[in-house]
Amino acid sequence: MSFALRRSVTPFSRRAFSTSPRSSSFAKMTIVGRLADTPELHATSTGTELLRYVVGTNSGPRDNQKTSWFRVTSFVPEGPQRDFIAGLDKGTLVYVEGEASMSQYTDAEGKPRSALNIVQNKIEVLSSKKPAQ
């Protein structure tokens, strides 16, 4: 096949990389940390059930560590995977991937606060509950 013929045929035979509409933007986040507590099952006003849990991460030198807390929501449907996540113990080391968003709220003392929320796409257990020291 000649170069001119290949050039004229190629655009019609190529497949588009994605046929879904593009989002204007998104934020993906990956965290590794320990569960602050056992995940809890919540029902929305529409009856949809979701899991909520908090993951804590530490940074900085040992004598001056700072802990950051991340609120995670999981929309995993009812079944073995949701049961597995709901059964994880406080202190379990997890790897979480998801879409991140910021929310603003006023705390009980009337101070404006912001929170980083993550909608879980993937979770992996890296180790069980932290051993007692």
Side-chain angles (χ1 to χ4, degrees), residues 22-115:
R22 290 187 182 181
S23 171
S24 59
S25 66
F26 71 95
K28 182 177 179 180
M29 187 161 198
T30 302
I31 57 173
V32 174
R34 295 201 178 270
L35 291 178
D37 208 347
T38 305
E40 296 179 356
L41 190 60
H42 292 273
T44 65
S45 59
T46 61
T48 303
E49 291 183 328
L50 51 89
L51 281 172
R52 287 192 178 147
Y53 56 95
V54 177
V55 177
T57 63
N58 294 325
S59 61
R62 278 189 179 249
D63 58 341
N64 192 23
Q65 281 196 339
K66 180 181 177 195
T67 302
S68 297
W69 301 100
F70 300 92
R71 296 176 182 175
V72 183
T73 303
S74 174
F75 290 94
V76 175
E78 186 176 355
Q81 186 178 12
R82 186 170 83 180
D83 294 341
F84 175 76
I85 296 169
L88 294 174
D89 291 325
K90 174 182 178 178
T92 301
L93 184 65
V94 293
Y95 165 94
V96 178
E97 268 183 29
E99 294 179 29
S101 64
M102 291 293 294
S103 62
Q104 307 293 324
Y105 65 97
T106 304
D107 68 8
E109 298 172 0
K111 295 180 183 177
R113 300 282 184 180
S114 60

Side-chain angles (χ1 to χ4, degrees), residues 9-22:
V9 172
T10 304
F12 299 108
S13 63
R14 283 191 190 155
R15 246 182 108 185
F17 180 75
S18 175
T19 56
S20 60
R22 290 187 182 181

Side-chain angles (χ1 to χ4, degrees), residues 105-133:
Y105 65 97
T106 304
D107 68 8
E109 298 172 0
K111 295 180 183 177
R113 300 282 184 180
S114 60
L116 182 59
N117 302 298
I118 300 171
V119 175
Q120 171 199 305
N121 291 335
K122 180 180 182 179
I123 185 171
E124 290 184 28
V125 174
L126 301 178
S127 73
S128 59
K129 186 176 175 178
K130 189 174 183 176
Q133 294 178 351

